[in-house]
Amino acid sequence: MYILEKLQMSIQTNKIIHVNNEHIFGATTLKNIALPEKNNTALHVCIDPEAVMINRKRLAEELNMPLDNWALPWQKHTNNMAHVTSSDKGKGAYDKNTSIMNVDAVYTTEPNILIGVFTADCLGILVIDETTPCICAIHSGWKGTTLEITKKCLSELIEKDLIHPKSCHVYFSPSIQFDSLEVGMEVVEQMKQISIDTTPFIRYMPNEKAYIDNQGINIEMCKELGVPAQNIHPSVYDTKKELNTCFSYRNDKQTGEHFTFGYIK
């Protein structure tokens, strides 16, 4: 699987490139201990906002996508999604308090608007459909998964004819994986209430704990909506184990975050 992922995406300095063609660019930033705040780009979880802005400006220059064209959410573990248009450019780019508030997913059909979500152990999901074109970025920790944010957002975009199951692709950021995501039985009970069969994605332990495959559940949601398996691109990076390249709240508590983002060219 590791080899397969390498074929599906290329790694450049400080980020994983998910897609880069004439229509769309999409990537996830990585931790780098040599950079300010270890390459954290999240203003809402940082020690030094100036260091975060250095990282953002560096990324903007690399992409030739000025910060004035970024539009970012301040996530709150909801299942809310916002439609981003040119009128939203600049939101959250320089000041977290100007972010698109109380949403955990953003989408756009317009060119030259960079959208994205921030994650440490949670999932960052990038959905693209070049035929529209449309891109959507989703943040789904276990709370978002119990709220079925991925299914809700994809269903809405399909209903609006903005993405099509057979032509869209879904890319996953590094996240805490099945072997590392230990939860209590109260989380298990919530997972069992969602609309898909989560049985294969729960591994019970003898200490009233269980391991959850958060990525696997979200992949299953995509499949149930008709996205072909070959169009779904999981990540093998476990944020709890990859200490040098991944941010992890469970490891560090005070930590930066990955940025899963994309834009239509």
Side-chain angles (χ1 to χ4, degrees), residues 11-197:
I11 295 181
Q12 291 187 354
T13 305
N14 310 322
K15 59 183 175 294
I16 299 170
I17 309 297
H18 300 302
V19 57
N20 184 17
N21 55 40
E22 62 178 314
H23 303 293
I24 290 173
F25 182 91
T28 298
T29 60
L30 295 172
K31 177 181 177 182
N32 185 329
I33 60 174
L35 295 177
E37 281 233 352
K38 301 176 182 177
N39 201 34
N40 178 26
T41 54
L43 283 172
H44 63 285
V45 285
C46 67
I47 297 171
D48 183 359
E50 291 184 8
V52 169
M53 290 309 303
I54 289 171
N55 295 330
R56 286 192 178 189
K57 289 173 183 177
R58 182 193 316 107
L59 180 60
E61 290 175 3
E62 288 177 8
L63 302 172
N64 195 26
M65 179 60 63
L67 285 170
D68 289 344
N69 288 26
W70 293 27
L72 307 175
W74 190 339
Q75 304 144 201
K76 296 294 183 180
H77 296 282
T78 70
N79 62 357
N80 300 328
M81 178 170 68
H83 180 197
V84 177
T85 68
S86 57
S87 64
D88 297 307
K89 284 183 177 180
K91 289 185 177 180
Y94 300 95
D95 181 351
K96 65 183 180 183
N97 295 307
T98 66
S99 301
I100 304 167
M101 295 296 185
N102 201 39
V103 300
D104 285 77
V106 284
Y107 76 94
T108 189
T109 57
E110 297 183 23
N112 300 315
I113 304 174
L114 186 149
I115 61 173
V117 292
F118 297 97
T119 60
D121 293 317
C122 298
L123 272 172
I125 305 168
L126 188 66
V127 184
I128 69 165
D129 194 325
E130 296 182 37
T131 66
T132 311
C134 178
I135 61 172
C136 177
I138 302 168
H139 159 249
S140 187
W142 68 260
K143 292 181 182 178
T145 298
T146 62
L147 295 172
E148 301 190 58
I149 183 172
T150 298
K151 183 176 181 179
K152 179 177 181 285
C153 292
L154 266 65
S155 296
E156 182 177 331
L157 294 175
I158 291 169
E159 184 178 345
K160 291 180 176 181
D161 207 31
L162 295 178
I163 66 170
H164 311 99
K166 301 303 181 186
S167 57
C168 77
H169 283 256
V170 184
Y171 299 90
F172 289 84
S173 76
S175 67
I176 190 166
Q177 298 278 352
F178 201 171
D179 291 340
S180 298
L181 182 50
E182 184 181 64
V183 298
M185 298 310 293
E186 71 282 358
V187 175
V188 172
E189 290 305 312
Q190 292 179 65
M191 287 291 181
K192 288 164 64 176
Q193 299 304 311
I194 68 177
S195 63
I196 68 167
D197 180 14

Side-chain angles (χ1 to χ4, degrees), residues 154 158 164-168 219-229 231-232:
L154 266 65
I158 291 169
H164 311 99
K166 301 303 181 186
S167 57
C168 77
I219 289 171
E220 190 64 23
M221 290 180 186
C222 296
K223 289 180 178 178
E224 287 210 351
L225 291 171
V227 181
N231 289 11
I232 301 172

Side-chain angles (χ1 to χ4, degrees), residues 194-231:
I194 68 177
S195 63
I196 68 167
D197 180 14
T198 55
T199 305
F201 309 105
I202 301 172
R203 184 187 306 135
Y204 293 92
M205 304 300 288
N207 59 349
E208 291 298 307
K209 300 284 187 179
Y211 287 98
I212 298 290
D213 186 358
N214 191 39
Q215 180 174 240
I217 295 171
N218 281 270
I219 289 171
E220 190 64 23
M221 290 180 186
C222 296
K223 289 180 178 178
E224 287 210 351
L225 291 171
V227 181
Q230 65 268 25
N231 289 11

